[in-house]
Coordinates of all heavy atoms in Angstrom, one line a residue:
M29 N 9.9 6.9 6.9 CA 8.9 6.6 5.9 C 7.6 6.2 6.5 O 7.5 5.4 7.4 CB 9.4 5.5 4.9 CG 8.4 4.9 4.0 SD 9.1 3.6 2.9 CE 9.9 2.5 4.0
R30 N 6.5 6.7 5.9 CA 5.2 6.3 6.3 C 4.4 5.9 5.1 O 4.5 6.5 4.0 CB 4.4 7.3 7.1 CG 4.9 7.5 8.5 CD 4.2 8.6 9.3 NE 2.7 8.4 9.3 CZ 2.1 7.6 10.1 NH1 2.7 6.8 10.9 NH2 0.7 7.6 10.1
V31 N 3.6 4.8 5.2 CA 2.8 4.3 4.1 C 1.3 4.5 4.4 O 0.9 4.0 5.5 CB 3.1 2.8 3.8 CG1 2.3 2.3 2.7 CG2 4.6 2.6 3.5
L32 N 0.6 5.1 3.6 CA -0.8 5.4 3.8 C -1.7 5.0 2.6 O -1.3 5.0 1.5 CB -1.0 6.9 4.0 CG -0.1 7.6 5.0 CD1 -0.1 9.1 4.8 CD2 -0.4 7.2 6.4
V33 N -2.9 4.5 2.9 CA -3.9 4.2 1.9 C -5.1 5.1 2.1 O -5.7 5.2 3.2 CB -4.3 2.7 2.0 CG1 -5.5 2.4 1.0 CG2 -3.1 1.8 1.6
D34 N -5.5 5.7 1.0 CA -6.7 6.5 1.0 C -7.9 5.6 0.7 O -8.1 5.1 -0.4 CB -6.6 7.6 -0.1 CG -7.8 8.5 -0.1 OD1 -8.9 8.2 0.4 OD2 -7.7 9.7 -0.6
L35 N -8.7 5.3 1.8 CA -9.7 4.3 1.6 C -10.9 4.8 0.8 O -11.6 4.0 0.2 CB -10.2 3.9 3.0 CG -9.2 3.2 3.9 CD1 -9.8 3.0 5.3 CD2 -8.7 2.0 3.3
A36 N -11.0 6.1 0.6 CA -12.0 6.6 -0.3 C -11.7 6.3 -1.8 O -12.6 6.2 -2.6 CB -12.1 8.1 -0.1
L37 N -10.4 6.0 -2.1 CA -10.0 5.7 -3.4 C -9.9 4.2 -3.7 O -10.1 3.7 -4.8 CB -8.7 6.4 -3.8 CG -8.7 7.9 -3.9 CD1 -7.2 8.4 -4.0 CD2 -9.6 8.4 -5.0
C38 N -9.5 3.5 -2.6 CA -9.2 2.1 -2.8 C -10.4 1.3 -3.2 O -11.5 1.4 -2.7 CB -8.7 1.5 -1.4 SG -8.4 -0.3 -1.4
E39 N -10.2 0.4 -4.2 CA -11.3 -0.4 -4.7 C -11.0 -1.9 -4.5 O -11.8 -2.7 -5.0 CB -11.5 -0.2 -6.2 CG -10.3 -0.6 -7.1 CD -10.4 -0.3 -8.6 OE1 -11.4 0.4 -8.9 OE2 -9.6 -0.7 -9.3
G40 N -10.0 -2.2 -3.7 CA -9.8 -3.5 -3.2 C -9.4 -4.6 -4.1 O -9.6 -5.8 -3.9
N41 N -8.8 -4.2 -5.2 CA -8.4 -5.2 -6.2 C -7.2 -6.0 -5.8 O -6.8 -7.0 -6.4 CB -8.1 -4.6 -7.6 CG -7.2 -3.5 -7.5 OD1 -6.1 -3.6 -6.9 ND2 -7.5 -2.3 -8.0
G42 N -6.5 -5.6 -4.7 CA -5.4 -6.4 -4.1 C -4.1 -6.4 -4.8 O -3.2 -7.2 -4.4
R43 N -3.9 -5.5 -5.7 CA -2.6 -5.5 -6.3 C -1.5 -5.1 -5.4 O -0.4 -5.6 -5.5 CB -2.6 -4.5 -7.5 CG -1.4 -4.6 -8.4 CD -1.5 -3.8 -9.6 NE -2.5 -4.3 -10.5 CZ -2.7 -3.8 -11.8 NH1 -1.9 -2.8 -12.2 NH2 -3.6 -4.2 -12.6
C44 N -1.8 -4.3 -4.4 CA -0.8 -3.9 -3.4 C -0.4 -5.1 -2.6 O 0.8 -5.3 -2.3 CB -1.4 -2.8 -2.5 SG -3.0 -3.2 -1.7
E45 N -1.3 -5.9 -2.2 CA -1.0 -7.1 -1.4 C -0.2 -8.1 -2.2 O 0.8 -8.7 -1.7 CB -2.3 -7.8 -0.9 CG -2.1 -8.9 0.0 CD -3.3 -9.6 0.6 OE1 -4.4 -9.1 0.2 OE2 -3.3 -10.5 1.3
A46 N -0.5 -8.2 -3.5 CA 0.3 -9.1 -4.3 C 1.7 -8.6 -4.5 O 2.7 -9.4 -4.6 CB -0.4 -9.2 -5.7
T47 N 1.9 -7.3 -4.5 CA 3.2 -6.7 -4.8 C 4.0 -6.6 -3.5 O 5.2 -6.9 -3.5 CB 3.0 -5.2 -5.3 OG1 2.2 -5.3 -6.5 CG2 4.4 -4.6 -5.6
A48 N 3.4 -6.3 -2.4 CA 4.1 -6.1 -1.1 C 3.3 -6.7 0.0 O 2.7 -6.0 0.8 CB 4.4 -4.6 -0.9
P49 N 3.3 -8.0 0.1 CA 2.5 -8.7 1.2 C 3.0 -8.3 2.6 O 2.3 -8.5 3.6 CB 2.6 -10.2 0.9 CG 3.8 -10.3 0.1 CD 3.9 -9.0 -0.7
E50 N 4.2 -7.8 2.7 CA 4.7 -7.4 4.0 C 4.1 -6.1 4.5 O 4.2 -5.8 5.7 CB 6.2 -7.1 3.9 CG 7.1 -8.3 3.4 CD 7.3 -8.2 1.9 OE1 6.4 -7.6 1.2 OE2 8.2 -8.8 1.4
L51 N 3.4 -5.4 3.6 CA 2.9 -4.1 3.9 C 1.4 -4.0 3.9 O 0.8 -3.1 4.5 CB 3.5 -3.0 3.0 CG 5.0 -2.8 3.1 CD1 5.5 -1.9 1.9 CD2 5.3 -2.2 4.4
F52 N 0.7 -4.8 3.0 CA -0.7 -4.6 2.8 C -1.5 -5.9 2.9 O -1.0 -7.0 2.6 CB -0.9 -4.1 1.4 CG -0.2 -2.8 1.1 CD1 1.0 -2.8 0.4 CD2 -0.7 -1.6 1.4 CE1 1.7 -1.7 0.1 CE2 -0.1 -0.4 1.1 CZ 1.2 -0.4 0.4
I53 N -2.7 -5.8 3.4 CA -3.6 -6.9 3.4 C -5.0 -6.3 3.0 O -5.4 -5.3 3.5 CB -3.6 -7.7 4.7 CG1 -4.5 -8.9 4.6 CG2 -4.1 -6.8 5.9 CD1 -4.3 -9.9 5.8
V54 N -5.7 -7.0 2.1 CA -7.0 -6.6 1.8 C -8.0 -7.3 2.6 O -8.1 -8.5 2.6 CB -7.3 -6.8 0.3 CG1 -8.7 -6.4 -0.1 CG2 -6.3 -6.0 -0.6
G55 N -8.9 -6.5 3.3 CA -9.8 -7.1 4.3 C -11.1 -7.6 3.6 O -11.3 -7.4 2.4
D56 N -12.0 -8.1 4.5 CA -13.3 -8.6 4.0 C -14.1 -7.4 3.5 O -15.1 -7.7 2.7 CB -14.0 -9.3 5.1 CG -13.3 -10.6 5.5 OD1 -12.6 -11.1 4.7 OD2 -13.6 -11.0 6.7
D57 N -13.7 -6.2 3.8 CA -14.5 -5.1 3.4 C -14.0 -4.6 2.0 O -14.4 -3.5 1.5 CB -14.4 -3.9 4.4 CG -12.9 -3.5 4.7 OD1 -12.0 -4.2 4.1 OD2 -12.7 -2.5 5.4
D58 N -13.0 -5.4 1.4 CA -12.5 -5.0 0.1 C -11.7 -3.6 0.2 O -11.7 -2.9 -0.8 CB -13.5 -5.0 -1.0 CG -13.8 -6.3 -1.5 OD1 -13.0 -7.3 -1.3 OD2 -14.9 -6.5 -2.2
K59 N -11.1 -3.4 1.3 CA -10.3 -2.2 1.4 C -8.9 -2.7 1.9 O -8.8 -3.6 2.7 CB -10.8 -1.2 2.5 CG -12.2 -0.6 2.1 CD -12.1 0.3 0.9 CE -13.4 0.9 0.6 NZ -13.4 1.8 -0.6
S60 N -7.9 -2.0 1.4 CA -6.5 -2.4 1.7 C -6.2 -1.8 3.1 O -6.5 -0.6 3.4 CB -5.5 -1.8 0.7 OG -4.2 -2.1 1.1
Q61 N -5.6 -2.6 3.9 CA -5.1 -2.1 5.2 C -3.5 -2.2 5.2 O -2.9 -3.1 4.7 CB -5.5 -3.0 6.4 CG -7.0 -3.1 6.5 CD -7.4 -4.2 7.5 OE1 -6.6 -4.6 8.3 NE2 -8.7 -4.6 7.5
V62 N -2.9 -1.1 5.7 CA -1.5 -1.1 5.8 C -1.1 -1.8 7.1 O -1.6 -1.4 8.2 CB -0.9 0.3 5.9 CG1 0.6 0.3 6.0 CG2 -1.4 1.1 4.6
T63 N -0.4 -2.9 7.0 CA -0.1 -3.7 8.2 C 1.1 -3.1 9.0 O 1.3 -3.5 10.2 CB 0.2 -5.2 7.8 OG1 1.3 -5.2 6.9 CG2 -1.0 -5.8 7.2
N64 N 1.9 -2.3 8.3 CA 3.0 -1.7 9.0 C 3.2 -0.3 8.5 O 3.7 -0.1 7.4 CB 4.3 -2.5 8.8 CG 5.5 -1.9 9.6 OD1 5.4 -0.8 10.2 ND2 6.6 -2.6 9.7
E65 N 2.6 0.7 9.2 CA 2.6 2.1 8.6 C 3.9 2.8 8.7 O 4.1 3.8 8.0 CB 1.5 2.9 9.4 CG 0.1 2.5 9.1 CD -0.9 3.5 9.7 OE1 -0.5 4.3 10.6 OE2 -2.1 3.4 9.3
S66 N 4.9 2.3 9.4 CA 6.2 2.8 9.5 C 7.2 1.7 9.2 O 8.0 1.3 10.1 CB 6.4 3.5 10.8 OG 5.5 4.5 11.1
P67 N 7.3 1.2 8.0 CA 8.1 0.1 7.7 C 9.6 0.5 7.7 O 10.0 1.6 7.5 CB 7.7 -0.4 6.3 CG 7.1 0.8 5.7 CD 6.5 1.6 6.8
P68 N 10.5 -0.5 7.8 CA 11.9 -0.3 7.7 C 12.3 0.1 6.3 O 11.6 -0.1 5.3 CB 12.5 -1.6 8.1 CG 11.5 -2.6 7.9 CD 10.2 -1.9 8.1
D69 N 13.5 0.7 6.2 CA 14.0 1.3 4.9 C 14.1 0.2 3.9 O 14.0 0.5 2.7 CB 15.3 2.0 5.1 CG 15.2 3.3 5.8 OD1 14.0 3.8 5.9 OD2 16.2 3.9 6.2
N70 N 14.3 -1.1 4.3 CA 14.5 -2.1 3.2 C 13.2 -2.5 2.5 O 13.3 -3.2 1.6 CB 15.2 -3.3 3.8 CG 14.4 -4.0 4.9 OD1 13.3 -3.5 5.3 ND2 14.9 -5.2 5.3
L71 N 12.1 -1.9 3.0 CA 10.9 -2.1 2.3 C 10.4 -0.9 1.4 O 9.3 -0.9 0.9 CB 9.8 -2.5 3.3 CG 9.9 -3.9 3.9 CD1 8.8 -4.1 4.9 CD2 9.8 -5.0 2.8
R72 N 11.3 0.1 1.4 CA 11.0 1.3 0.6 C 10.7 1.0 -0.8 O 9.7 1.5 -1.4 CB 12.1 2.3 0.8 CG 11.9 3.6 -0.1 CD 12.9 4.6 0.0 NE 12.6 5.4 1.2 CZ 13.3 5.4 2.4 NH1 14.3 4.5 2.5 NH2 13.0 6.1 3.4
E73 N 11.5 0.3 -1.5 CA 11.3 0.0 -2.9 C 10.0 -0.7 -3.2 O 9.3 -0.4 -4.1 CB 12.5 -0.8 -3.5 CG 13.8 0.0 -3.5 CD 13.7 1.3 -4.3 OE1 13.1 1.2 -5.4 OE2 14.2 2.3 -3.9
K74 N 9.7 -1.6 -2.3 CA 8.4 -2.4 -2.5 C 7.2 -1.4 -2.2 O 6.2 -1.5 -2.9 CB 8.3 -3.5 -1.5 CG 8.9 -4.8 -2.0 CD 8.4 -6.0 -1.3 CE 8.8 -7.3 -2.0 NZ 8.3 -8.5 -1.4
A75 N 7.3 -0.6 -1.2 CA 6.3 0.4 -1.0 C 6.0 1.3 -2.2 O 4.9 1.6 -2.6 CB 6.6 1.2 0.3
L76 N 7.2 1.8 -2.7 CA 7.1 2.7 -3.9 C 6.5 2.0 -5.1 O 5.7 2.6 -5.9 CB 8.4 3.3 -4.2 CG 9.0 4.3 -3.1 CD1 10.4 4.6 -3.4 CD2 8.1 5.5 -3.1
L77 N 6.9 0.7 -5.3 CA 6.4 -0.1 -6.4 C 4.9 -0.3 -6.2 O 4.1 -0.1 -7.2 CB 7.1 -1.4 -6.5 CG 6.7 -2.3 -7.7 CD1 6.9 -1.6 -9.0 CD2 7.4 -3.6 -7.6
A78 N 4.4 -0.6 -5.0 CA 3.0 -0.8 -4.8 C 2.2 0.5 -5.1 O 1.1 0.5 -5.7 CB 2.8 -1.3 -3.4
A79 N 2.8 1.6 -4.7 CA 2.1 2.9 -4.9 C 2.0 3.2 -6.4 O 1.0 3.6 -6.9 CB 2.9 4.0 -4.2
K80 N 3.1 2.8 -7.1 CA 3.1 3.0 -8.6 C 2.1 2.1 -9.3 O 1.5 2.6 -10.3 CB 4.5 2.7 -9.1 CG 4.7 2.9 -10.6 CD 6.2 2.6 -10.9 CE 6.4 2.7 -12.4 NZ 7.8 2.3 -12.8
L81 N 2.0 0.9 -8.8 CA 1.1 -0.1 -9.5 C -0.4 0.0 -9.1 O -1.2 -0.5 -9.8 CB 1.6 -1.5 -9.2 CG 3.0 -1.8 -9.8 CD1 3.4 -3.2 -9.5 CD2 3.0 -1.7 -11.3
C82 N -0.6 0.7 -8.0 CA -2.0 0.9 -7.6 C -2.9 1.6 -8.7 O -2.6 2.7 -9.0 CB -2.1 1.6 -6.3 SG -3.8 2.0 -5.8
P83 N -3.9 0.9 -9.2 CA -4.6 1.5 -10.3 C -5.4 2.7 -9.9 O -5.9 3.5 -10.7 CB -5.5 0.4 -10.8 CG -5.6 -0.6 -9.7 CD -4.3 -0.5 -8.9
R84 N -5.6 2.9 -8.6 CA -6.4 4.0 -8.1 C -5.5 5.1 -7.5 O -6.1 6.1 -7.0 CB -7.4 3.5 -7.1 CG -8.4 2.5 -7.6 CD -9.5 3.2 -8.4 NE -10.3 4.0 -7.5 CZ -11.0 5.0 -7.9 NH1 -11.1 5.4 -9.2 NH2 -11.7 5.7 -7.1
Q85 N -4.3 4.9 -7.5 CA -3.3 5.9 -6.9 C -3.7 6.2 -5.5 O -3.7 7.4 -5.0 CB -3.3 7.2 -7.8 CG -2.8 7.0 -9.2 CD -1.4 6.6 -9.3 OE1 -0.5 7.3 -8.9 NE2 -1.1 5.3 -9.7
A86 N -4.1 5.2 -4.8 CA -4.6 5.3 -3.4 C -3.5 5.3 -2.4 O -3.7 5.6 -1.2 CB -5.6 4.3 -3.1
I87 N -2.3 4.8 -2.8 CA -1.2 4.6 -1.8 C -0.2 5.8 -1.8 O 0.2 6.2 -2.9 CB -0.4 3.3 -2.1 CG1 -1.4 2.1 -2.1 CG2 0.8 3.1 -1.2 CD1 -0.8 0.8 -2.6
K88 N 0.1 6.3 -0.7 CA 1.0 7.4 -0.6 C 2.2 6.9 0.3 O 2.0 6.3 1.4 CB 0.4 8.6 0.1 CG -0.8 9.2 -0.7 CD -0.3 9.9 -1.9 CE -1.5 10.5 -2.8 NZ -1.8 9.7 -3.9
V89 N 3.4 7.2 -0.1 CA 4.6 7.0 0.7 C 5.2 8.3 1.0 O 5.5 9.1 0.1 CB 5.6 6.1 -0.1 CG1 6.9 5.9 0.7 CG2 5.0 4.8 -0.6
V90 N 5.2 8.6 2.3 CA 5.6 9.9 2.8 C 6.9 9.8 3.5 O 7.1 8.9 4.4 CB 4.6 10.5 3.7 CG1 5.0 11.9 4.2 CG2 3.2 10.6 3.0
E91 N 7.9 10.6 3.2 CA 9.2 10.5 3.9 C 9.2 11.3 5.1 O 8.5 12.3 5.2 CB 10.3 11.0 2.9 CG 10.5 10.1 1.7 CD 10.9 8.7 2.0 OE1 11.5 8.4 3.0 OE2 10.6 7.8 1.1
Ligands
SF4_112 S1 -3.8 -1.7 -5.2 FE1 -4.7 0.3 -4.6 S2 -6.9 0.1 -5.1 FE2 -6.0 -2.0 -5.1 S3 -6.3 -2.8 -3.0 FE3 -4.3 -1.8 -3.0 S4 -4.7 0.3 -2.3 FE4 -6.6 -0.5 -2.9

């Protein structure tokens, strides 16, 4: 699994960080950074939930 953020879409509202702090952090530039682009399988559900809840659909989870 790989987790990606499209920075052109991200508006920095931080919902991803609130949902999955193990995976995302919003920087001073108001853009989400993926802190672990290849997370372990036990974080899959959180990654998918963050992608679902992102209001900009900026998060992609690729198998
Ligand atoms: S939830 Fe989406 S738009 Fe908001 S900071 Fe995260 S990636 Fe960016």
Side-chain angles (χ1 to χ4, degrees):
M29 170 180 49
R30 284 181 53 80
V31 180
L32 309 167
V33 171
D34 185 337
L35 296 179
L37 293 175
C38 175
E39 61 183 12
N41 54 49
R43 191 172 291 186
C44 53
E45 185 178 358
T47 303
E50 304 91 337
L51 295 172
F52 303 97
I53 188 168
V54 177
D56 292 339
D57 59 355
D58 280 345
K59 297 291 182 183
S60 177
Q61 299 170 18
V62 182
T63 55
N64 185 350
E65 290 188 345
S66 299
D69 284 349
N70 64 354
L71 289 176
R72 173 176 279 105
E73 291 304 316
K74 275 201 168 183
L76 292 172
L77 181 61
K80 181 178 174 183
L81 294 178
C82 172
R84 298 284 292 159
Q85 299 294 294
I87 300 170
K88 298 287 180 257
V89 180
V90 182
E91 300 295 336

